[in-house]
Amino acid sequence: MTLVQKSDIAYSKLAERIEKLIHEARKRTIAVVNTTMVYTYYEVGRMIVEDEQQGEQRAEYGTELLKHLSEQLSNKFGKGFSAQNLANMRQFYLTYSKDNIFQTVSRESENGFTLSWSHYLKLMRISNPEERRFYEIEAKDNNWSLRELQRQFDSSLYERLALSRDKEGVKALAHEGQVIDTPKDIVKDPYVLEFIGLPELPQYNESELEQRLIDNLQTFLLELGKGFTFVGRQVRFTFDEQHFRVDLVFYNRLLRAFVLIDLKRGTLKHQDLGQMLMYVNYYDRFVKEVDENPTIGILLCTDKSDAMVEITLPENNNQIFASKYQTILPSKEELKKLIENNINQPLNCK
């Protein structure tokens, strides 16, 4: 290697270190800006509420107060202080006044990711305090952008996770977020695939569905949840001179286990469950490492009989799951009714 080549390599490494330093500095700057803005808007909201409490207890007073404040602050600081924005700051204080917002934001800064004012504008519009707390925790833990937060809310992530939990489990969602300890913790029912752009009609086949998921892999990973990495599609394995293919293979870093996904149009059959059982057994015996956990299999279908699934799989099953998927956003009201009615009770099959 010539002296010139050595110099080029040294320059390149130096440039990489400087680029990394600049990226980290920018991230810290954004975090500081977000934190300062949230602190400031919370305090503005507090001062408005306290002034209202000391003044006349009339709606007209509050409206006039915001109008005059907006005029003065806009003249002084420009955009960002419209009457509506000031009303948002007031509501922000009212929503979070029982929480220690300063401690919350400080913890965010320590973790390297802070929720922006735009995140909080979305969060404080969620009326259910437990649901709002859940999305707040998940947004922080997973570094959700505002767009990702909006998508998870629109797809009713909280309600879908709550459906598979008892009363205490639903409370835990609000205080801890989604905790991944067992295979069941990563499973949703239903999965919402509205991002693939296919109608809720039997006009597409499994191959087209699979291709759309691959084309929107980043969003699909977001829908799958925490810890997922993509391994491959149509992954082939052979034994006894027969070839088999798994539609989609993922790996979950939190559970340290392979996750096999098969896509099924129409109603799920017991043969589909038997096929997935064979796939899982193969991966457990020939693919996974000794220190990795048992393989998980998930069948995504448009319809299924819970009784048939329960009867087909072993009583102590904790590896294979069947979930519906839909290509349109679910109705939040319908999901909330399902949770309230506790329909997710163990099946009594006779």
Side-chain angles (χ1 to χ4, degrees):
M1 184 180 293
T2 67
L3 182 61
V4 173
Q5 289 174 321
K6 289 181 178 179
S7 297
D8 289 342
I9 293 173
Y11 295 151
S12 178
K13 289 182 177 179
L14 176 60
E16 287 177 6
R17 295 203 305 273
I18 293 174
E19 288 172 10
K20 182 179 179 181
L21 178 65
I22 293 172
H23 283 307
E24 290 176 350
R26 287 179 175 177
K27 285 173 63 177
R28 287 195 298 271
T29 301
I30 292 171
V32 169
V33 170
N34 283 339
T35 300
T36 304
M37 185 178 292
V38 169
Y39 279 155
T40 302
Y41 289 174
Y42 180 85
E43 282 299 298
V44 170
R46 179 185 62 78
M47 294 168 73
I48 292 172
V49 170
E50 289 180 353
D51 186 85
E52 287 177 337
Q53 291 172 345
Q54 292 170 6
E56 303 175 54
Q57 294 296 310
R58 294 183 304 170
E60 293 83 356
Y61 175 79
T63 302
E64 287 300 310
L65 172 64
L66 294 179
K67 180 180 176 182
H68 288 298
L69 276 177
S70 174
E71 290 174 357
Q72 281 191 263
L73 295 174
S74 296
N75 288 334
K76 187 77 174 179
F77 300 105
K79 294 181 180 179
F81 294 95
S82 66
Q84 181 58 57
N85 282 346
L86 291 173
N88 288 335
M89 295 173 204
R90 176 184 180 277
Q91 186 58 47
F92 181 47
Y93 171 76
L94 292 174
T95 301
Y96 284 94
S97 58
K98 293 181 180 179
D99 301 331
N100 189 336
I101 192 69
F102 296 100
Q103 184 177 349
T104 299
V105 176
S106 295
R107 276 201 309 270
E108 291 176 28
S109 301
E110 291 171 5
N111 295 335
F113 177 77
T114 57
L115 298 185
S116 67
W117 171 240
S118 297
H119 283 91
Y120 280 109
L121 281 176
K122 172 60 192 173
L123 288 166
M124 68 185 186
R125 293 190 181 101
I126 301 174
S127 57
N128 180 353
E130 293 187 345
E131 182 180 3
R132 180 172 62 245
R133 180 61 182 153
F134 165 79
Y135 283 111
E136 186 179 339
I137 293 171
E138 290 297 304
K140 293 172 187 172
D141 288 350
N142 297 289
N143 294 3
W144 283 349
S145 65
L146 177 61
R147 181 179 178 181
E148 289 167 339
L149 170 61
Q150 183 67 54
R151 194 262 159 189
Q152 295 288 25
F153 176 79
D154 289 343
S155 68
S156 304
L157 176 62
Y158 175 76
E159 289 86 356
R160 287 187 287 141
L161 291 174
L163 276 173
S164 61
R165 286 160 171 79
D166 57 20
K167 192 172 183 180
E168 292 304 313
V170 174
K171 287 183 179 179
L173 281 176
H175 296 289
E176 303 171 16
Q178 184 185 12
V179 178
I180 307 296
D181 289 326
T182 68
K184 187 178 180 181
D185 294 331
I186 66 170
V187 179
K188 302 183 181 77
D189 195 7
Y191 284 83
V192 178
L193 311 178
E194 92 295 343
F195 54 87
I196 63 177
L198 290 173
E200 193 80 351
L201 297 170
Q203 297 176 348
Y204 56 90
N205 56 34
E206 292 160 8
S207 297
E208 185 176 3
L209 173 61
E210 179 186 315
Q211 184 60 54
R212 293 292 185 98
L213 291 176
I214 294 298
D215 291 342
N216 297 273
L217 185 58
Q218 184 175 357
T219 309
F220 187 40
L221 285 169
L222 178 66
E223 171 63 9
L224 288 176
K226 295 179 179 179
F228 279 90
T229 58
F230 179 62
V231 176
R233 64 183 294 195
Q234 291 298 310
V235 178
R236 184 175 120 166
F237 64 90
T238 303
F239 69 89
D240 199 20
E241 298 182 354
Q242 294 187 72
H243 304 300
F244 302 92
R245 293 179 184 273
V246 185
D247 288 343
L248 299 168
V249 178
F250 295 85
Y251 190 84
N252 190 279
R253 294 178 294 104
L254 301 179
L255 293 177
R256 299 194 70 250
F258 284 100
V259 181
L260 314 181
I261 294 181
D262 243 14
L263 308 171
K264 301 295 179 184
R265 288 287 300 145
T267 304
L268 190 70
K269 301 178 177 61
H270 66 86
Q271 295 95 327
D272 301 325
L273 291 161
Q275 183 183 55
M276 178 57 79
L277 181 60
M278 184 266 288
Y279 290 172
V280 165
N281 286 340
Y282 180 88
Y283 264 72
D284 278 348
R285 296 170 190 175
F286 302 109
V287 180
K288 85 175 187 70
E289 299 293 338
V290 175
D291 61 342
E292 292 178 323
N293 290 313
T295 304
I296 302 162
I298 302 175
L299 292 117
L300 295 185
C301 57
T302 51
D303 192 22
K304 66 184 173 78
S305 163
D306 290 331
M308 187 271 291
V309 172
E310 184 174 308
I311 287 296
T312 303
L313 297 175
E315 283 189 277
N316 60 348
N317 166 64
N318 61 358
Q319 287 182 259
I320 299 175
F321 304 90
S323 294
K324 292 182 182 180
Y325 72 85
Q326 59 189 66
T327 59
I328 58 174
L329 291 173
S331 164
K332 281 185 173 291
E333 294 307 315
E334 290 178 7
L335 289 175
K336 287 175 181 176
K337 287 179 181 177
L338 290 178
I339 297 169
E340 292 168 2
N341 293 334
N342 293 319
I343 69 162
N344 206 42
Q345 298 295 324
L347 294 170
N348 293 316
C349 301
K350 299 180 180 179

